[in-house]
Amino acid sequence: MSPATSDAPIGPELVLAGSITARVDVLVVGLTTGPDGPEVSVGEALDDATAESVLAGLVAVGATGKAEEVTRVPAPAGLSVSSIVAVGLGAPDAVDTEQVRASAGAAARALSGTAVAATTLSSIDLAGAAEGFYLGAYTFTEFKAKSAPKEDALPLGRVELLVDSPRTAATKKVLARSTAIAEAVATAREFVNTPPSHLYPEEFAVRAKALGTAAGLKVEVLDQKALEKGGYGGIVGVGKGSSRGPRLVRLTHTGGRGAKKVALVGKGITFDTGGISIKPAAGMENMTSDMGGAAAVIATVVLAAKLGLKVTVDAYAPMAENMPSATAQRPGDVLTQYGGTTVEVVNTDAEGRLVLADAIVKACEQNPDYLIDTATLTGAQMVALGTRTSGVMGTDDFRDRVASIAQEVGENAWAMPLPKELRADLNSKVADLMNVTNHRWGGMLAAAVYLKEFVADGVQWAHIDIAGPSYNTGGPFGYTPKGGTGVPVRTMITVLEDIAANG
């Protein structure tokens, strides 16, 4: 069973400490680029003389304090640890939560094989250090060889976060929230990294239901027969080409009387060949990540329940496998979305918007105050914004609110427009809509314009296109590994917290 559905930890154990304990193997400290050379940040963990000795050793081997630079030196005499790891924080005036998070992640990746580490980064920013170490240490191991891994290939086991007041309720609350958030991000990563041979719509629904049930959520799963009977033409149409039938999962967290209502919708295409409009072979293996939106909303609603947020959250995950076969939908076919809108399917590789539209209409039947949908929707997102910046579209005020929060938490989404002229380009000669325009301009925006047709009037809506940011095909950086990233879990949970607090 995947850690996403078990009690097995996905990251290191995180604990608070007031001093370096005897079990610690390595001490992790921060290093900034001061005007007169690097400066070490050790909090109250080391006395001045020891700190100066540590700094001298780091300077001697060329440490500069450049952001995320990792340098390891032997510990000076008198310390119980065997070595010191210094991680760069960059310029002192630029050190914020996100920089601590990124630097902690870089340190965690360098500490594979370490049983117990302590760190003074937590004295700078506890939340950033906790999340960075947890997510930086994350590694997906479910399908590694059965033989025991080498000791240095094991992830970091335990991190003791050094703070001045480890026993206060406020400090414990910060750690509890940060650990829960990191676990949710890692859970989304687990889903995304699980190969389509093992995570297909039925199995995805089973795992989502198990997580939801364990968190006390109300869970509803519609199978293929129920989807056909219910008129979910988008989900059924996309799934027609696969022998593994589609699903629609709904997970509900109730926030109590008077709570604002938020709908979350995430694209759950467990593998995307493009269907009859088949994709090029090169890179198609990365389409195992095409359910990153569904993974994120499932992890987020479970997290909302764990945090006890005073907001009602309905999360919808439409799941299908987009395959070419004798039963697959064809370019030129017409389907009827849930709610009655007819759509000419011009390109079967523009399938994400079809499953999302069904779920969006269903979600709007519950009269939510806010709706967030997220999806690995368009390659055009990466053309416009690169692989690390999500695009956010929707109703102006809520779009800007979501984008601002994404930037605050380090997920760096960017607000984008919905040009009115693109709507006419979705007109069809035979149906209400086409699922794509007849040109390549503004593809990310056109996809959002399509989704807008299905959002009920009066609902504050944000669409987050995570095509690039949800899956890292390059090398690891900061707290982000190769593969699934868990974007945009941290954005969505912070938006939910903001709605709970401010409406």
Side-chain angles (χ1 to χ4, degrees):
M1 179 177 288
S2 166
T5 55
S6 74
D7 294 328
I10 315 175
E13 180 185 8
L14 302 177
V15 298
L16 296 167
S19 60
I20 303 171
T21 65
R23 63 188 299 180
V24 173
D25 304 306
V26 179
L27 175 65
V28 180
V29 301
L31 201 64
T32 57
T33 54
D36 299 319
E39 299 175 358
V40 68
S41 176
V42 296
E44 301 296 322
L46 304 179
D47 58 41
D48 291 345
T50 305
E52 289 178 6
S53 177
V54 168
L55 179 58
L58 292 167
V59 170
V61 296
T64 66
K66 179 181 177 182
E68 300 175 43
E69 173 191 72
V70 177
T71 308
R72 191 166 187 162
V73 295
L79 280 183
S80 59
V81 299
S82 61
S83 60
I84 304 288
V85 167
V87 60
L89 294 166
D93 59 358
V95 177
D96 56 11
T97 299
E98 175 62 12
Q99 185 56 66
V100 172
R101 191 184 287 122
S103 294
R109 288 189 287 106
L111 288 172
S112 293
T114 301
V116 183
T119 184
T120 62
L121 294 176
S122 43
S123 66
I124 302 172
D125 192 294
L126 175 57
E131 293 167 22
F133 272 102
Y134 195 101
L135 296 175
Y138 169 85
T139 183
F140 184 69
T141 60
E142 185 176 355
F143 296 94
K144 295 293 184 181
K146 292 182 179 180
S147 57
K150 294 181 180 179
E151 189 65 26
D152 62 2
L154 292 171
L156 175 61
R158 174 185 170 102
V159 181
E160 297 187 359
L161 300 156
L162 300 173
V163 292
D164 293 339
S165 304
R167 296 183 181 180
T168 65
T171 302
K172 291 178 180 178
K173 184 177 180 180
V174 170
L175 179 59
R177 176 182 180 274
S178 293
T179 302
I181 288 173
E183 288 174 345
V185 173
T187 295
R189 290 177 177 181
E190 291 281 293
F191 276 134
V192 172
N193 289 330
T194 301
S197 54
H198 291 71
L199 193 75
Y200 42 91
E202 181 181 4
E203 175 64 15
F204 196 4
V206 167
R207 297 190 188 195
K209 182 177 180 179
L211 279 176
T213 301
L217 302 177
K218 179 182 178 181
V219 183
E220 178 185 16
V221 179
L222 300 183
D223 62 13
Q224 184 167 353
K225 288 184 178 179
L227 291 168
E228 291 171 349
K229 183 177 180 181
Y232 295 87
I235 301 171
V236 171
V238 172
K240 283 172 60 177
S242 175
S243 61
R244 304 193 285 196
R247 297 290 186 273
L248 176 61
V249 176
R250 177 184 176 188
L251 305 171
T252 303
H253 161 66
T254 302
R257 180 177 296 179
K260 290 290 186 180
K261 297 171 66 176
V262 182
L264 303 178
V265 179
K267 173 186 171 184
I269 301 299
T270 57
F271 192 76
D272 182 19
T273 66
I276 298 298
S277 306
I278 198 162
K279 295 176 180 292
M284 193 190 291
E285 70 276 7
N286 294 328
M287 289 299 99
T288 182
S289 68
D290 212 20
M291 33 61 66
V297 302
I298 292 166
T300 299
V301 69
V302 170
L303 177 57
K306 288 183 178 179
L307 295 178
L309 296 191
K310 303 302 182 183
V311 59
T312 292
V313 184
D314 261 327
Y316 295 83
M319 302 169 176
E321 187 176 55
N322 190 22
M323 300 288 284
S325 74
T327 59
Q329 64 180 352
R330 297 154 291 243
D333 280 359
V334 172
L335 58 77
T336 302
Q337 300 270 193
Y338 181 78
T341 300
T342 59
V343 177
E344 180 186 2
V345 181
V346 175
N347 188 324
T348 63
D349 193 25
E351 85 299 330
R353 65 201 71 183
L354 301 178
V355 302
L356 287 174
D358 278 358
I360 286 171
V361 175
K362 180 64 177 178
C364 287
E365 290 181 346
Q366 305 305 311
N367 299 312
D369 299 292
Y370 300 93
L371 187 151
I372 301 173
D373 79 81
T374 186
T376 50
L377 202 59
T378 66
Q381 176 272 317
M382 290 180 279
V383 174
L385 296 173
T387 60
R388 300 189 189 182
T389 303
S390 304
V392 185
M393 292 134 279
T395 53
D396 291 352
D397 290 346
F398 191 48
R399 172 203 64 195
D400 292 348
R401 185 177 178 183
V402 170
S404 177
I405 287 172
Q407 291 162 25
E408 290 172 8
V409 302
E411 288 191 331
N412 301 323
W414 199 254
M416 300 293 287
L418 291 177
K420 292 181 180 180
E421 67 271 15
L422 289 177
R423 172 59 186 84
D425 296 337
L426 293 171
N427 288 335
S428 166
K429 293 181 180 179
V430 297
D432 297 324
L433 291 171
M434 297 189 297
N435 71 328
V436 293
T437 64
N438 58 4
H439 57 74
R440 58 191 292 263
W441 313 118
M444 173 177 64
L445 312 181
V449 169
Y450 180 91
L451 295 179
K452 183 177 183 291
E453 292 293 305
F454 301 91
V455 179
D457 292 341
V459 176
Q460 293 294 304
W461 164 61
H463 160 63
I464 311 175
D465 194 330
I466 55 171
S470 72
Y471 195 74
N472 177 26
T473 59
F477 58 93
Y479 52 88
T480 302
K482 187 178 179 66
T485 67
V487 171
V489 169
R490 292 188 294 120
T491 294
M492 291 193 294
I493 196 63
T494 309
V495 170
L496 293 177
E497 290 176 324
D498 188 52
I499 291 170
N502 303 307

